Short mmCIF file of all heavy atoms in Angstrom, two decimals:
data_model
loop_
_atom_site.label_atom_id
_atom_site.label_comp_id
_atom_site.label_asym_id
_atom_site.label_seq_id
_atom_site.Cartn_x
_atom_site.Cartn_y
_atom_site.Cartn_z
N PHE J 21 88.09 104.70 114.60
CA PHE J 21 89.28 105.54 114.42
C PHE J 21 90.04 105.61 115.73
O PHE J 21 89.46 105.80 116.79
CB PHE J 21 88.88 106.94 113.96
CG PHE J 21 88.10 106.94 112.69
CD1 PHE J 21 86.74 107.26 112.69
CD2 PHE J 21 88.69 106.61 111.49
CE1 PHE J 21 86.00 107.25 111.53
CE2 PHE J 21 87.95 106.59 110.31
CZ PHE J 21 86.61 106.91 110.33
N ASP J 22 91.36 105.47 115.63
CA ASP J 22 92.25 105.59 116.78
C ASP J 22 93.10 106.82 116.53
O ASP J 22 93.97 106.82 115.66
CB ASP J 22 93.11 104.32 116.89
CG ASP J 22 93.91 104.29 118.17
OD1 ASP J 22 93.62 105.08 119.07
OD2 ASP J 22 94.82 103.45 118.24
N ASP J 23 92.84 107.88 117.29
CA ASP J 23 93.43 109.20 117.07
C ASP J 23 94.45 109.49 118.16
O ASP J 23 94.08 109.61 119.32
CB ASP J 23 92.29 110.23 117.09
CG ASP J 23 92.72 111.61 116.71
OD1 ASP J 23 93.84 111.77 116.22
OD2 ASP J 23 91.91 112.53 116.89
N HIS J 24 95.73 109.57 117.78
CA HIS J 24 96.80 109.89 118.73
C HIS J 24 97.68 110.97 118.14
O HIS J 24 98.36 110.72 117.13
CB HIS J 24 97.65 108.66 119.05
CG HIS J 24 96.93 107.61 119.82
ND1 HIS J 24 96.63 107.74 121.15
CD2 HIS J 24 96.40 106.43 119.44
CE1 HIS J 24 95.97 106.67 121.56
NE2 HIS J 24 95.82 105.86 120.53
N ASP J 26 99.28 113.48 116.01
CA ASP J 26 99.11 113.80 114.59
C ASP J 26 98.97 112.55 113.73
O ASP J 26 99.20 112.60 112.52
CB ASP J 26 100.27 114.68 114.10
CG ASP J 26 101.60 113.97 114.18
OD1 ASP J 26 101.67 112.90 114.81
OD2 ASP J 26 102.57 114.49 113.61
N GLU J 27 98.58 111.42 114.35
CA GLU J 27 98.35 110.19 113.59
C GLU J 27 96.94 109.69 113.81
O GLU J 27 96.43 109.71 114.94
CB GLU J 27 99.33 109.09 114.02
CG GLU J 27 100.75 109.37 113.60
CD GLU J 27 101.65 108.18 113.87
OE1 GLU J 27 101.25 107.26 114.59
OE2 GLU J 27 102.77 108.20 113.36
N LEU J 28 96.34 109.25 112.74
CA LEU J 28 95.00 108.69 112.79
C LEU J 28 95.05 107.32 112.12
O LEU J 28 95.44 107.21 110.96
CB LEU J 28 94.00 109.59 112.06
CG LEU J 28 92.59 109.04 111.97
CD1 LEU J 28 91.88 109.20 113.31
CD2 LEU J 28 91.81 109.73 110.88
N THR J 29 94.68 106.30 112.86
CA THR J 29 94.61 104.95 112.30
C THR J 29 93.15 104.54 112.25
O THR J 29 92.44 104.64 113.24
CB THR J 29 95.40 103.95 113.18
OG1 THR J 29 96.75 104.41 113.29
CG2 THR J 29 95.39 102.57 112.56
N ALA J 30 92.73 104.09 111.08
CA ALA J 30 91.38 103.57 110.92
C ALA J 30 91.44 102.05 111.05
O ALA J 30 92.42 101.42 110.63
CB ALA J 30 90.80 103.96 109.57
N ILE J 31 90.40 101.48 111.63
CA ILE J 31 90.36 100.04 111.88
C ILE J 31 89.06 99.49 111.30
O ILE J 31 87.98 99.98 111.61
CB ILE J 31 90.42 99.74 113.39
CG1 ILE J 31 91.68 100.37 113.98
CG2 ILE J 31 90.39 98.23 113.64
CD1 ILE J 31 91.58 100.65 115.46
N PHE J 55 86.71 100.95 102.65
CA PHE J 55 87.38 101.26 103.93
C PHE J 55 88.49 102.29 103.71
O PHE J 55 88.63 103.25 104.47
CB PHE J 55 87.93 99.97 104.53
CG PHE J 55 88.86 100.17 105.68
CD1 PHE J 55 88.44 100.81 106.83
CD2 PHE J 55 90.17 99.69 105.63
CE1 PHE J 55 89.31 100.99 107.91
CE2 PHE J 55 91.03 99.87 106.69
CZ PHE J 55 90.61 100.52 107.83
N MET J 56 89.25 102.14 102.65
CA MET J 56 90.35 103.08 102.39
C MET J 56 89.81 104.46 102.01
O MET J 56 90.39 105.49 102.36
CB MET J 56 91.27 102.52 101.31
CG MET J 56 91.98 101.25 101.78
SD MET J 56 92.94 100.46 100.51
CE MET J 56 94.35 101.54 100.48
N GLU J 57 88.70 104.51 101.29
CA GLU J 57 88.09 105.80 100.94
C GLU J 57 87.57 106.50 102.20
O GLU J 57 87.72 107.72 102.36
CB GLU J 57 86.98 105.59 99.93
CG GLU J 57 86.49 106.88 99.30
CD GLU J 57 85.49 106.63 98.19
OE1 GLU J 57 85.76 105.78 97.32
OE2 GLU J 57 84.43 107.28 98.21
N ILE J 58 87.00 105.73 103.12
CA ILE J 58 86.56 106.30 104.40
C ILE J 58 87.77 106.83 105.16
O ILE J 58 87.73 107.91 105.76
CB ILE J 58 85.82 105.22 105.23
CG1 ILE J 58 84.47 104.89 104.58
CG2 ILE J 58 85.63 105.67 106.68
CD1 ILE J 58 83.80 103.65 105.14
N THR J 59 88.87 106.07 105.13
CA THR J 59 90.10 106.50 105.82
C THR J 59 90.62 107.81 105.23
O THR J 59 91.07 108.69 105.97
CB THR J 59 91.16 105.40 105.73
OG1 THR J 59 90.64 104.19 106.29
CG2 THR J 59 92.43 105.79 106.47
N ALA J 60 90.56 107.96 103.92
CA ALA J 60 91.01 109.20 103.28
C ALA J 60 90.16 110.37 103.76
O ALA J 60 90.69 111.43 104.13
CB ALA J 60 90.93 109.06 101.76
N SER J 61 88.84 110.20 103.77
CA SER J 61 87.96 111.27 104.25
C SER J 61 88.24 111.59 105.71
O SER J 61 88.28 112.76 106.11
CB SER J 61 86.49 110.86 104.10
OG SER J 61 86.13 110.76 102.74
N ALA J 62 88.47 110.55 106.52
CA ALA J 62 88.77 110.76 107.93
C ALA J 62 90.08 111.52 108.11
O ALA J 62 90.18 112.40 108.97
CB ALA J 62 88.83 109.42 108.65
N GLY J 63 91.07 111.19 107.29
CA GLY J 63 92.35 111.90 107.37
C GLY J 63 92.19 113.38 107.07
O GLY J 63 92.77 114.23 107.74
N LEU J 64 91.37 113.70 106.07
CA LEU J 64 91.13 115.11 105.76
C LEU J 64 90.37 115.79 106.89
O LEU J 64 90.69 116.92 107.27
CB LEU J 64 90.35 115.23 104.45
CG LEU J 64 91.17 115.02 103.19
CD1 LEU J 64 90.26 114.85 101.97
CD2 LEU J 64 92.12 116.20 102.98
N PHE J 67 92.71 116.45 110.08
CA PHE J 67 93.85 117.36 110.04
C PHE J 67 93.62 118.64 109.25
O PHE J 67 94.55 119.42 109.05
CB PHE J 67 95.07 116.61 109.50
CG PHE J 67 95.37 115.39 110.31
CD1 PHE J 67 95.27 114.12 109.75
CD2 PHE J 67 95.70 115.49 111.65
CE1 PHE J 67 95.53 112.99 110.51
CE2 PHE J 67 95.96 114.36 112.42
CZ PHE J 67 95.87 113.10 111.84
N VAL J 92 91.67 94.94 109.56
CA VAL J 92 92.50 95.71 108.62
C VAL J 92 92.72 97.09 109.24
O VAL J 92 91.80 97.67 109.83
CB VAL J 92 91.81 95.86 107.25
CG1 VAL J 92 92.72 96.62 106.28
CG2 VAL J 92 91.44 94.50 106.67
N TYR J 93 93.93 97.61 109.08
CA TYR J 93 94.29 98.94 109.58
C TYR J 93 94.68 99.82 108.40
O TYR J 93 95.20 99.31 107.40
CB TYR J 93 95.47 98.84 110.56
CG TYR J 93 95.21 97.87 111.68
CD1 TYR J 93 95.58 96.53 111.57
CD2 TYR J 93 94.56 98.29 112.83
CE1 TYR J 93 95.32 95.64 112.58
CE2 TYR J 93 94.30 97.40 113.85
CZ TYR J 93 94.67 96.07 113.72
OH TYR J 93 94.39 95.18 114.72
N ALA J 94 94.48 101.12 108.53
CA ALA J 94 94.85 102.02 107.43
C ALA J 94 95.19 103.40 107.98
O ALA J 94 94.64 103.82 109.00
CB ALA J 94 93.71 102.12 106.41
N ARG J 95 96.09 104.06 107.27
CA ARG J 95 96.44 105.45 107.58
C ARG J 95 96.47 106.24 106.29
O ARG J 95 96.93 105.75 105.26
CB ARG J 95 97.80 105.56 108.26
CG ARG J 95 97.76 105.17 109.70
CD ARG J 95 99.03 105.51 110.39
NE ARG J 95 98.96 105.07 111.78
CZ ARG J 95 100.01 104.82 112.52
NH1 ARG J 95 101.20 105.00 112.03
NH2 ARG J 95 99.86 104.41 113.76
N ALA J 96 96.01 107.48 106.39
CA ALA J 96 96.01 108.37 105.23
C ALA J 96 97.09 109.43 105.41
O ALA J 96 97.36 109.86 106.53
CB ALA J 96 94.65 109.06 105.10
N SER J 97 97.67 109.84 104.30
CA SER J 97 98.60 110.97 104.33
C SER J 97 98.21 111.92 103.21
O SER J 97 97.91 111.48 102.09
CB SER J 97 100.05 110.52 104.21
OG SER J 97 100.23 109.79 103.02
N ILE J 98 98.16 113.18 103.56
CA ILE J 98 97.83 114.21 102.57
C ILE J 98 99.12 114.56 101.86
O ILE J 98 100.05 115.07 102.47
CB ILE J 98 97.21 115.44 103.26
CG1 ILE J 98 95.94 115.05 104.01
CG2 ILE J 98 96.93 116.53 102.23
CD1 ILE J 98 95.38 116.15 104.92
N LEU J 108 95.60 112.52 98.26
CA LEU J 108 95.86 111.66 99.41
C LEU J 108 96.39 110.31 98.98
O LEU J 108 96.14 109.85 97.87
CB LEU J 108 94.57 111.41 100.21
CG LEU J 108 94.15 112.53 101.13
CD1 LEU J 108 93.24 113.46 100.44
CD2 LEU J 108 93.56 111.97 102.36
N ARG J 109 97.09 109.69 99.91
CA ARG J 109 97.54 108.32 99.76
C ARG J 109 97.11 107.60 101.03
O ARG J 109 97.24 108.13 102.14
CB ARG J 109 99.05 108.27 99.61
CG ARG J 109 99.62 106.89 99.56
CD ARG J 109 101.14 106.92 99.56
NE ARG J 109 101.67 105.62 99.84
CZ ARG J 109 102.05 104.76 98.90
NH1 ARG J 109 102.00 105.11 97.65
NH2 ARG J 109 102.50 103.58 99.24
N VAL J 110 96.60 106.39 100.88
CA VAL J 110 96.19 105.58 102.02
C VAL J 110 96.86 104.21 101.89
O VAL J 110 96.85 103.61 100.81
CB VAL J 110 94.65 105.40 102.07
CG1 VAL J 110 94.25 104.49 103.23
CG2 VAL J 110 93.95 106.75 102.18
N ASP J 111 97.44 103.75 102.98
CA ASP J 111 98.02 102.41 103.04
C ASP J 111 97.19 101.57 103.99
O ASP J 111 96.88 102.01 105.10
CB ASP J 111 99.47 102.46 103.55
CG ASP J 111 100.37 103.26 102.63
OD1 ASP J 111 100.28 103.06 101.41
OD2 ASP J 111 101.16 104.07 103.14
N ALA J 112 96.84 100.35 103.56
CA ALA J 112 96.08 99.42 104.41
C ALA J 112 96.92 98.17 104.64
O ALA J 112 97.56 97.67 103.71
CB ALA J 112 94.75 99.05 103.76
N TRP J 113 96.92 97.68 105.86
CA TRP J 113 97.71 96.50 106.20
C TRP J 113 96.98 95.67 107.23
O TRP J 113 95.98 96.12 107.82
CB TRP J 113 99.09 96.92 106.70
CG TRP J 113 99.08 97.55 108.05
CD1 TRP J 113 99.29 96.91 109.25
CD2 TRP J 113 98.84 98.92 108.39
NE1 TRP J 113 99.20 97.82 110.29
CE2 TRP J 113 98.92 99.06 109.79
CE3 TRP J 113 98.57 100.06 107.63
CZ2 TRP J 113 98.73 100.27 110.44
CZ3 TRP J 113 98.38 101.27 108.29
CH2 TRP J 113 98.46 101.36 109.67
N ARG J 117 102.72 96.75 108.97
CA ARG J 117 102.50 97.96 108.15
C ARG J 117 103.43 97.97 106.94
O ARG J 117 103.09 98.51 105.89
CB ARG J 117 102.72 99.21 109.00
CG ARG J 117 102.32 100.46 108.27
CD ARG J 117 102.28 101.66 109.14
NE ARG J 117 101.90 102.80 108.34
CZ ARG J 117 102.00 104.04 108.72
NH1 ARG J 117 102.44 104.32 109.94
NH2 ARG J 117 101.63 105.01 107.93
N PRO J 120 101.79 96.14 103.11
CA PRO J 120 100.39 96.56 102.90
C PRO J 120 99.63 95.59 102.01
O PRO J 120 100.22 94.95 101.13
CB PRO J 120 100.53 97.93 102.24
CG PRO J 120 101.88 97.94 101.62
CD PRO J 120 102.74 97.05 102.48
N ALA J 122 96.88 96.84 100.40
CA ALA J 122 96.37 97.71 99.33
C ALA J 122 96.83 99.15 99.57
O ALA J 122 97.07 99.54 100.72
CB ALA J 122 94.85 97.65 99.27
N ASN J 123 96.94 99.88 98.48
CA ASN J 123 97.24 101.32 98.53
C ASN J 123 96.16 102.06 97.75
O ASN J 123 95.67 101.54 96.75
CB ASN J 123 98.59 101.64 97.88
CG ASN J 123 99.75 101.07 98.64
OD1 ASN J 123 99.71 101.01 99.85
ND2 ASN J 123 100.76 100.65 97.93
N LEU J 124 95.83 103.23 98.21
CA LEU J 124 94.86 104.09 97.50
C LEU J 124 95.53 105.42 97.21
O LEU J 124 96.25 105.97 98.05
CB LEU J 124 93.63 104.31 98.37
CG LEU J 124 92.56 105.27 97.86
CD1 LEU J 124 91.18 104.79 98.26
CD2 LEU J 124 92.77 106.69 98.37
#
Side-chain angles (χ1 to χ4, degrees):
F21 302 109
D22 188 14
D23 187 11
H24 292 286
D26 63 348
E27 290 188 347
L28 176 76
T29 303
I31 304 156
F55 169 60
M56 295 175 77
E57 192 174 312
I58 290 168
T59 303
S61 293
L64 283 167
F67 304 116
V92 182
Y93 306 91
R95 283 190 182 157
S97 58
I98 300 170
L108 281 91
R109 176 186 165 96
V110 177
D111 298 316
W113 71 94
R117 188 169 179 193
N123 293 326
L124 175 145

